[in-house]
Amino acid sequence: MILRASWWSGLPPAAGSAVMATGIISVGLHLLGHETASRAALALAVAAWLALAADFAVRLFAERSRWESEADTPPALTAVAAACVLGTRLALLDQAFLAGCLLVLGAVLWLVLLPAVVRHWGHRMPGAVFLVCVATQAVAVLSGTLAAVLPARPLRVAALVFFCLGLVLYAAALARFDVANLRTGSGDQWVAGGALAISALAGAKLVAAPLYDGAWHQALRTVTLIVLALDLAWYLVLLLAEVRWPRPRYDVRRWATVFPMGMTAVAVLSVSDAAGIPWLEGLGRVLLWIAVAVWLCVCAGAVRSALRPAAAVRSPR
């Protein structure tokens, strides 16, 4: 069986969430000390990112009308988040230069894409609407991670600014989210919780930063713990919704289920360390292995979809 070219060329912007999901699984495995598996996941994420980046360039220069029609939709922001998630993992490998390049790329894409997405916001939107928060917090996380490697005050300030802006954007997205997606969503409804998870991770980076102490440190710690608690509440609600309304069929938006699950695990592990709450580590470990299991299931579904001879790939905007 041969991989269909039409399958690859027909992938929507939401496919970027596969890179995000695989990249954050790599980060989680690294935090638990499973370095070989972590690097294997990183290699897969980088390969997928390079392929999607090439496709992005082709659409930009050869299929401009299609690129413009997709650039103002929330899934386009996966380009920002994917670059920053990969940059975060590379920073943890002491690849500061490459991580810095991805930070610059992510920030530029954020500046270009976010205004267009916000201008075209509507009401009763799917879970992808929360990508405005995810993309913003991804820049905050990478800035905070690099700040630990390169002790530069501007990076810490940038992390704080994007963290606060991300929380504002989450509130704005929540007002536009269609809660019926808990029943009808094809996977991206999980971003409602994933956006809080990456916010908690960004908060953990700030809590761990020596620049913020005293009242600032306590305020950041409190906000981060509240955000993490809300994320875990969303996780439970979304999990119960999956049990109540099962959706076993593969959809590319299922990668937007894996990412929040993996991000929640990483956020719990990071907050445990930064905030000094040891018992959270055990919960983070359990959540990470659940995310890995779901990653394997979604990956198997993606492979079957790619090899299916005549099936059409569902292409959400």
Side-chain angles (χ1 to χ4, degrees), residues 4-306:
R4 293 177 290 111
S6 60
W7 175 85
W8 181 263
S9 63
L11 285 176
S17 57
V19 178
M20 296 159 56
T22 308
I24 202 60
I25 290 294
S26 175
V27 172
L29 290 169
H30 167 75
L31 293 178
L32 293 188
H34 301 286
E35 198 61 27
T36 300
S38 173
R39 295 194 182 207
L42 175 61
L44 288 174
V46 169
W49 183 80
L50 289 173
L52 289 172
D55 186 57
F56 179 92
V58 168
R59 296 183 191 187
L60 176 60
F61 295 108
E63 302 176 27
R64 192 57 178 265
S65 60
R66 178 182 176 184
W67 186 89
E68 291 176 348
S69 70
E70 294 176 339
D72 60 9
T73 64
L77 291 169
T78 60
V80 179
C84 291
V85 168
L86 287 183
T88 298
R89 181 63 185 97
L90 290 171
L92 294 173
L93 285 172
D94 295 325
Q95 298 295 324
F97 176 75
L98 291 176
C101 291
L102 287 171
L103 176 59
V104 172
L105 176 61
V108 170
L109 289 172
W110 183 87
L111 286 170
V112 172
L113 297 173
L114 186 73
V117 170
V118 172
R119 281 198 305 270
H120 291 85
W121 258 356
H123 297 284
R124 299 176 63 81
M125 297 184 69
V129 68
F130 291 101
L131 284 167
V132 295
C133 171
V134 171
T136 304
Q137 296 292 14
V139 177
V141 169
L142 180 50
S143 297
T145 305
L146 271 175
V149 180
L150 304 171
R153 184 184 179 92
L155 285 172
R156 296 193 179 103
V157 173
L160 178 61
V161 170
F162 276 90
F163 172 67
C164 294
L165 181 57
L167 294 179
V168 172
L169 288 170
Y170 184 88
L174 183 61
R176 291 164 173 79
F177 176 55
D178 182 2
V179 294
N181 269 252
L182 295 177
R183 174 174 55 83
T184 63
S186 296
D188 60 354
Q189 70 274 12
W190 278 80
V191 187
L196 288 175
I198 195 171
S199 297
L201 178 57
K205 299 292 183 182
L206 292 169
V207 171
L211 182 64
Y212 304 107
D213 53 16
W216 270 103
H217 180 272
Q218 187 57 43
L220 286 169
R221 184 179 186 275
T222 300
V223 170
T224 298
L225 290 175
I226 291 172
V227 171
L228 182 63
L230 292 173
D231 168 40
L232 291 173
W234 260 118
Y235 192 107
L236 180 59
V237 169
L238 290 159
L239 190 61
L240 291 174
E242 293 282 359
V243 174
R244 175 62 180 83
W245 299 290
R247 284 149 280 194
R249 182 179 178 182
Y250 171 76
D251 187 290
V252 69
R253 286 166 289 191
R254 268 305 179 192
W255 289 110
T257 298
V258 182
F259 174 73
M261 297 181 84
M263 181 56 75
T264 297
V266 170
V268 170
L269 290 168
S270 299
V271 171
S272 172
D273 182 56
I277 307 177
W279 65 267
L280 280 175
E281 182 181 352
L283 175 61
R285 287 177 177 272
V286 171
L287 292 176
L288 181 65
W289 291 118
I290 292 173
V292 169
V294 176
W295 183 91
L296 290 170
C297 292
V298 174
C299 189
V303 171
R304 286 196 300 270
S305 175

